[in-house]
Amino acid sequence: MDSFHMMFVMLCSVFVVVHGFSRNDDLPILSFDEGYSKLFGDDNLMVFDDRKSVQLSLDERTGSGFVSQDLYFHGFFSASIKLPADYTAGVVVAFYMSNGDIFEKNHDEIDFEFLGNIRGKEWRIQTNIYGNGSTVVGREERYGLWFDPTDDFHRYSILWTHTHIIFYVDDVAIREIKRTESMGGDFPSKPMTLYATIWDASEWATNGGKYKVNYKYAPYIAEFSNFILHGCAVDPIELTSFKCETTPNLNTVPTGITPSQRAKMESFRKKHMQYSYCYDKIRYKTPPSECVFNPKEAKRLKKFDPVTFGSGHNHHHGKRYRRSRSPTQSI
């Protein structure tokens, strides 16, 4: 590890002193003006009067999106999101971290992508990571949910540390990615900015592009609120200056998964995971090194038709805008 990353790991460790995850009610909720700026979309991005909620819409003219004002190295990032209802095939709502505007040829990325569907079919969530421009090795997983994400707001969170990445839905960890030596630079390891967007991904998002966005149902509206940006802020020019903020109660900052939380995560994955790159024989004759083959899991996933992504490149990059271009079921 070079001195730059060693310095960040040591000084950002203030965020990883307590194991486990409790409700994050005590973490500071930012107003939109405190943490974010409009990225694209003109009047398709509307900030409500309380300055704590944002509406992103997609219509025939454009999608929309916003971006965090700061660049971060490690931390906990979260928002409450309500997705558009009815026919949403081809629509993608994304809540993700990236540094493609700074590292164009070797960018990192951590993705939550929400994939719309035809009427009567549920939204799906896709998670993914890239490190050091490793876009030829997609690590997508896709899931259903135990609730309707269009009925109300639900919290979606990313924990990113030097050793692992955890994706949360509400208080439930749904995926953990541990950094391994064999992954090398594929693990995200450079400062990133947080983005939120809604856009037309008709070419791939629903059944491999079979179903397109139908603008008869536009505008498609996604709502965001309860923003949490809790990480080490990095100077975007120098990439060496930083500011690590502390919180009133560090017990609210997740750092890992307890045994009981892991059991709940495994239950979620058994019930709701629909696709994992580790079992996609079309894309990978030999799965990536971190994959562990589970025969029962492989058998269960066979009933879902894997959506492949061409040569493995992430098709959504062309739609990502750079900063410079200004009764619920149980798990």
Side-chain angles (χ1 to χ4, degrees), residues 290-308:
E290 72 276 5
C291 290
V292 177
F293 185 80
N294 182 326
K296 290 183 178 180
E297 190 170 68
K299 183 178 180 180
R300 187 181 64 80
L301 291 177
K302 276 186 177 181
K303 68 178 181 179
F304 297 102
D305 183 21
V307 176
T308 58

PDB file of all heavy atoms in Angstrom, residues 290-308:
ATOM      1  N   GLU A 290     -12.733 -14.595  -6.425  1.00  0.00           N
ATOM      2  CA  GLU A 290     -13.376 -14.517  -5.113  1.00  0.00           C
ATOM      3  C   GLU A 290     -14.657 -15.342  -5.017  1.00  0.00           C
ATOM      4  O   GLU A 290     -15.214 -15.518  -3.928  1.00  0.00           O
ATOM      5  CB  GLU A 290     -13.690 -13.059  -4.759  1.00  0.00           C
ATOM      6  CG  GLU A 290     -14.828 -12.438  -5.546  1.00  0.00           C
ATOM      7  CD  GLU A 290     -14.424 -11.878  -6.896  1.00  0.00           C
ATOM      8  OE1 GLU A 290     -13.254 -12.057  -7.291  1.00  0.00           O
ATOM      9  OE2 GLU A 290     -15.273 -11.252  -7.552  1.00  0.00           O
ATOM     10  N   CYS A 291     -15.124 -15.877  -6.148  1.00  0.00           N
ATOM     11  CA  CYS A 291     -16.374 -16.631  -6.159  1.00  0.00           C
ATOM     12  C   CYS A 291     -16.210 -17.986  -5.474  1.00  0.00           C
ATOM     13  O   CYS A 291     -15.210 -18.687  -5.676  1.00  0.00           O
ATOM     14  CB  CYS A 291     -16.858 -16.843  -7.589  1.00  0.00           C
ATOM     15  SG  CYS A 291     -17.435 -15.327  -8.388  1.00  0.00           S
ATOM     16  N   VAL A 292     -17.211 -18.358  -4.685  1.00  0.00           N
ATOM     17  CA  VAL A 292     -17.269 -19.667  -4.047  1.00  0.00           C
ATOM     18  C   VAL A 292     -18.519 -20.369  -4.560  1.00  0.00           C
ATOM     19  O   VAL A 292     -19.637 -19.881  -4.368  1.00  0.00           O
ATOM     20  CB  VAL A 292     -17.312 -19.555  -2.507  1.00  0.00           C
ATOM     21  CG1 VAL A 292     -17.442 -20.934  -1.870  1.00  0.00           C
ATOM     22  CG2 VAL A 292     -16.067 -18.836  -1.997  1.00  0.00           C
ATOM     23  N   PHE A 293     -18.354 -21.501  -5.200  1.00  0.00           N
ATOM     24  CA  PHE A 293     -19.475 -22.200  -5.815  1.00  0.00           C
ATOM     25  C   PHE A 293     -20.329 -22.883  -4.757  1.00  0.00           C
ATOM     26  O   PHE A 293     -19.832 -23.647  -3.928  1.00  0.00           O
ATOM     27  CB  PHE A 293     -18.976 -23.227  -6.824  1.00  0.00           C
ATOM     28  CG  PHE A 293     -20.083 -23.909  -7.586  1.00  0.00           C
ATOM     29  CD1 PHE A 293     -20.694 -23.283  -8.658  1.00  0.00           C
ATOM     30  CD2 PHE A 293     -20.523 -25.174  -7.210  1.00  0.00           C
ATOM     31  CE1 PHE A 293     -21.717 -23.906  -9.361  1.00  0.00           C
ATOM     32  CE2 PHE A 293     -21.545 -25.802  -7.900  1.00  0.00           C
ATOM     33  CZ  PHE A 293     -22.148 -25.169  -8.976  1.00  0.00           C
ATOM     34  N   ASN A 294     -21.622 -22.593  -4.792  1.00  0.00           N
ATOM     35  CA  ASN A 294     -22.591 -23.208  -3.888  1.00  0.00           C
ATOM     36  C   ASN A 294     -23.609 -23.949  -4.736  1.00  0.00           C
ATOM     37  O   ASN A 294     -24.432 -23.324  -5.416  1.00  0.00           O
ATOM     38  CB  ASN A 294     -23.270 -22.124  -3.039  1.00  0.00           C
ATOM     39  CG  ASN A 294     -24.264 -22.693  -2.047  1.00  0.00           C
ATOM     40  OD1 ASN A 294     -24.940 -23.692  -2.304  1.00  0.00           O
ATOM     41  ND2 ASN A 294     -24.380 -22.043  -0.897  1.00  0.00           N
ATOM     42  N   PRO A 295     -23.585 -25.282  -4.755  1.00  0.00           N
ATOM     43  CA  PRO A 295     -24.478 -26.054  -5.630  1.00  0.00           C
ATOM     44  C   PRO A 295     -25.956 -25.734  -5.426  1.00  0.00           C
ATOM     45  O   PRO A 295     -26.708 -25.648  -6.397  1.00  0.00           O
ATOM     46  CB  PRO A 295     -24.163 -27.509  -5.251  1.00  0.00           C
ATOM     47  CG  PRO A 295     -22.786 -27.464  -4.684  1.00  0.00           C
ATOM     48  CD  PRO A 295     -22.680 -26.147  -3.975  1.00  0.00           C
ATOM     49  N   LYS A 296     -26.386 -25.559  -4.171  1.00  0.00           N
ATOM     50  CA  LYS A 296     -27.791 -25.255  -3.912  1.00  0.00           C
ATOM     51  C   LYS A 296     -28.166 -23.888  -4.477  1.00  0.00           C
ATOM     52  O   LYS A 296     -29.238 -23.708  -5.048  1.00  0.00           O
ATOM     53  CB  LYS A 296     -28.063 -25.290  -2.407  1.00  0.00           C
ATOM     54  CG  LYS A 296     -27.996 -26.691  -1.801  1.00  0.00           C
ATOM     55  CD  LYS A 296     -28.360 -26.656  -0.325  1.00  0.00           C
ATOM     56  CE  LYS A 296     -28.336 -28.053   0.280  1.00  0.00           C
ATOM     57  NZ  LYS A 296     -28.684 -28.041   1.724  1.00  0.00           N
ATOM     58  N   GLU A 297     -27.260 -22.935  -4.309  1.00  0.00           N
ATOM     59  CA  GLU A 297     -27.518 -21.605  -4.839  1.00  0.00           C
ATOM     60  C   GLU A 297     -27.552 -21.626  -6.362  1.00  0.00           C
ATOM     61  O   GLU A 297     -28.410 -20.995  -6.995  1.00  0.00           O
ATOM     62  CB  GLU A 297     -26.442 -20.641  -4.346  1.00  0.00           C
ATOM     63  CG  GLU A 297     -26.711 -19.181  -4.623  1.00  0.00           C
ATOM     64  CD  GLU A 297     -25.738 -18.283  -3.890  1.00  0.00           C
ATOM     65  OE1 GLU A 297     -24.535 -18.287  -4.228  1.00  0.00           O
ATOM     66  OE2 GLU A 297     -26.182 -17.590  -2.953  1.00  0.00           O
ATOM     67  N   ALA A 298     -26.633 -22.366  -6.964  1.00  0.00           N
ATOM     68  CA  ALA A 298     -26.590 -22.472  -8.422  1.00  0.00           C
ATOM     69  C   ALA A 298     -27.885 -23.079  -8.961  1.00  0.00           C
ATOM     70  O   ALA A 298     -28.436 -22.618  -9.971  1.00  0.00           O
ATOM     71  CB  ALA A 298     -25.388 -23.318  -8.833  1.00  0.00           C
ATOM     72  N   LYS A 299     -28.380 -24.098  -8.287  1.00  0.00           N
ATOM     73  CA  LYS A 299     -29.617 -24.754  -8.719  1.00  0.00           C
ATOM     74  C   LYS A 299     -30.804 -23.804  -8.626  1.00  0.00           C
ATOM     75  O   LYS A 299     -31.654 -23.754  -9.521  1.00  0.00           O
ATOM     76  CB  LYS A 299     -29.864 -25.997  -7.867  1.00  0.00           C
ATOM     77  CG  LYS A 299     -31.093 -26.793  -8.282  1.00  0.00           C
ATOM     78  CD  LYS A 299     -31.247 -28.039  -7.428  1.00  0.00           C
ATOM     79  CE  LYS A 299     -32.474 -28.846  -7.841  1.00  0.00           C
ATOM     80  NZ  LYS A 299     -32.632 -30.066  -7.011  1.00  0.00           N
ATOM     81  N   ARG A 300     -30.862 -23.037  -7.540  1.00  0.00           N
ATOM     82  CA  ARG A 300     -31.974 -22.111  -7.362  1.00  0.00           C
ATOM     83  C   ARG A 300     -31.959 -20.996  -8.404  1.00  0.00           C
ATOM     84  O   ARG A 300     -33.002 -20.583  -8.917  1.00  0.00           O
ATOM     85  CB  ARG A 300     -31.920 -21.497  -5.956  1.00  0.00           C
ATOM     86  CG  ARG A 300     -33.132 -20.643  -5.616  1.00  0.00           C
ATOM     87  CD  ARG A 300     -33.011 -20.039  -4.233  1.00  0.00           C
ATOM     88  NE  ARG A 300     -31.887 -19.125  -4.151  1.00  0.00           N
ATOM     89  CZ  ARG A 300     -31.920 -17.880  -4.604  1.00  0.00           C
ATOM     90  NH1 ARG A 300     -33.004 -17.413  -5.193  1.00  0.00           N
ATOM     91  NH2 ARG A 300     -30.877 -17.102  -4.497  1.00  0.00           N
ATOM     92  N   LEU A 301     -30.767 -20.510  -8.756  1.00  0.00           N
ATOM     93  CA  LEU A 301     -30.659 -19.396  -9.698  1.00  0.00           C
ATOM     94  C   LEU A 301     -30.913 -19.824 -11.141  1.00  0.00           C
ATOM     95  O   LEU A 301     -31.113 -18.969 -12.012  1.00  0.00           O
ATOM     96  CB  LEU A 301     -29.284 -18.747  -9.580  1.00  0.00           C
ATOM     97  CG  LEU A 301     -29.010 -17.992  -8.272  1.00  0.00           C
ATOM     98  CD1 LEU A 301     -27.593 -17.452  -8.249  1.00  0.00           C
ATOM     99  CD2 LEU A 301     -30.010 -16.873  -8.046  1.00  0.00           C
ATOM    100  N   LYS A 302     -30.915 -21.124 -11.400  1.00  0.00           N
ATOM    101  CA  LYS A 302     -31.132 -21.599 -12.765  1.00  0.00           C
ATOM    102  C   LYS A 302     -32.495 -21.207 -13.307  1.00  0.00           C
ATOM    103  O   LYS A 302     -32.674 -21.086 -14.523  1.00  0.00           O
ATOM    104  CB  LYS A 302     -30.975 -23.125 -12.822  1.00  0.00           C
ATOM    105  CG  LYS A 302     -29.551 -23.594 -12.976  1.00  0.00           C
ATOM    106  CD  LYS A 302     -29.499 -25.099 -13.178  1.00  0.00           C
ATOM    107  CE  LYS A 302     -28.067 -25.570 -13.407  1.00  0.00           C
ATOM    108  NZ  LYS A 302     -28.003 -27.040 -13.630  1.00  0.00           N
ATOM    109  N   LYS A 303     -33.465 -21.011 -12.424  1.00  0.00           N
ATOM    110  CA  LYS A 303     -34.809 -20.677 -12.902  1.00  0.00           C
ATOM    111  C   LYS A 303     -34.904 -19.245 -13.403  1.00  0.00           C
ATOM    112  O   LYS A 303     -35.859 -18.881 -14.078  1.00  0.00           O
ATOM    113  CB  LYS A 303     -35.832 -20.915 -11.795  1.00  0.00           C
ATOM    114  CG  LYS A 303     -35.723 -19.979 -10.612  1.00  0.00           C
ATOM    115  CD  LYS A 303     -36.816 -20.286  -9.596  1.00  0.00           C
ATOM    116  CE  LYS A 303     -36.729 -19.336  -8.400  1.00  0.00           C
ATOM    117  NZ  LYS A 303     -37.784 -19.593  -7.404  1.00  0.00           N
ATOM    118  N   PHE A 304     -33.912 -18.428 -13.060  1.00  0.00           N
ATOM    119  CA  PHE A 304     -33.882 -17.058 -13.565  1.00  0.00           C
ATOM    120  C   PHE A 304     -32.987 -17.011 -14.791  1.00  0.00           C
ATOM    121  O   PHE A 304     -31.893 -17.570 -14.814  1.00  0.00           O
ATOM    122  CB  PHE A 304     -33.350 -16.103 -12.502  1.00  0.00           C
ATOM    123  CG  PHE A 304     -34.222 -16.025 -11.281  1.00  0.00           C
ATOM    124  CD1 PHE A 304     -33.878 -16.701 -10.128  1.00  0.00           C
ATOM    125  CD2 PHE A 304     -35.398 -15.280 -11.295  1.00  0.00           C
ATOM    126  CE1 PHE A 304     -34.670 -16.634  -8.993  1.00  0.00           C
ATOM    127  CE2 PHE A 304     -36.198 -15.202 -10.175  1.00  0.00           C
ATOM    128  CZ  PHE A 304     -35.842 -15.884  -9.022  1.00  0.00           C
ATOM    129  N   ASP A 305     -33.442 -16.328 -15.831  1.00  0.00           N
ATOM    130  CA  ASP A 305     -32.668 -16.209 -17.058  1.00  0.00           C
ATOM    131  C   ASP A 305     -31.666 -15.071 -16.904  1.00  0.00           C
ATOM    132  O   ASP A 305     -32.045 -13.911 -16.871  1.00  0.00           O
ATOM    133  CB  ASP A 305     -33.607 -15.926 -18.228  1.00  0.00           C
ATOM    134  CG  ASP A 305     -32.865 -15.855 -19.551  1.00  0.00           C
ATOM    135  OD1 ASP A 305     -31.752 -16.399 -19.621  1.00  0.00           O
ATOM    136  OD2 ASP A 305     -33.397 -15.263 -20.488  1.00  0.00           O
ATOM    137  N   PRO A 306     -30.370 -15.367 -16.798  1.00  0.00           N
ATOM    138  CA  PRO A 306     -29.388 -14.293 -16.569  1.00  0.00           C
ATOM    139  C   PRO A 306     -29.368 -13.295 -17.717  1.00  0.00           C
ATOM    140  O   PRO A 306     -29.363 -13.656 -18.877  1.00  0.00           O
ATOM    141  CB  PRO A 306     -28.046 -15.036 -16.481  1.00  0.00           C
ATOM    142  CG  PRO A 306     -28.410 -16.458 -16.228  1.00  0.00           C
ATOM    143  CD  PRO A 306     -29.727 -16.682 -16.901  1.00  0.00           C
ATOM    144  N   VAL A 307     -29.394 -12.018 -17.370  1.00  0.00           N
ATOM    145  CA  VAL A 307     -29.219 -10.963 -18.358  1.00  0.00           C
ATOM    146  C   VAL A 307     -27.732 -10.683 -18.469  1.00  0.00           C
ATOM    147  O   VAL A 307     -27.095 -10.306 -17.496  1.00  0.00           O
ATOM    148  CB  VAL A 307     -29.965  -9.680 -17.947  1.00  0.00           C
ATOM    149  CG1 VAL A 307     -29.683  -8.560 -18.944  1.00  0.00           C
ATOM    150  CG2 VAL A 307     -31.461  -9.953 -17.873  1.00  0.00           C
ATOM    151  N   THR A 308     -27.180 -10.924 -19.636  1.00  0.00           N
ATOM    152  CA  THR A 308     -25.760 -10.641 -19.815  1.00  0.00           C
ATOM    153  C   THR A 308     -25.583  -9.232 -20.356  1.00  0.00           C
ATOM    154  O   THR A 308     -26.524  -8.589 -20.800  1.00  0.00           O
ATOM    155  CB  THR A 308     -25.115 -11.651 -20.776  1.00  0.00           C
ATOM    156  OG1 THR A 308     -25.807 -11.592 -22.033  1.00  0.00           O
ATOM    157  CG2 THR A 308     -25.227 -13.062 -20.226  1.00  0.00           C
TER     158      THR A 308
END
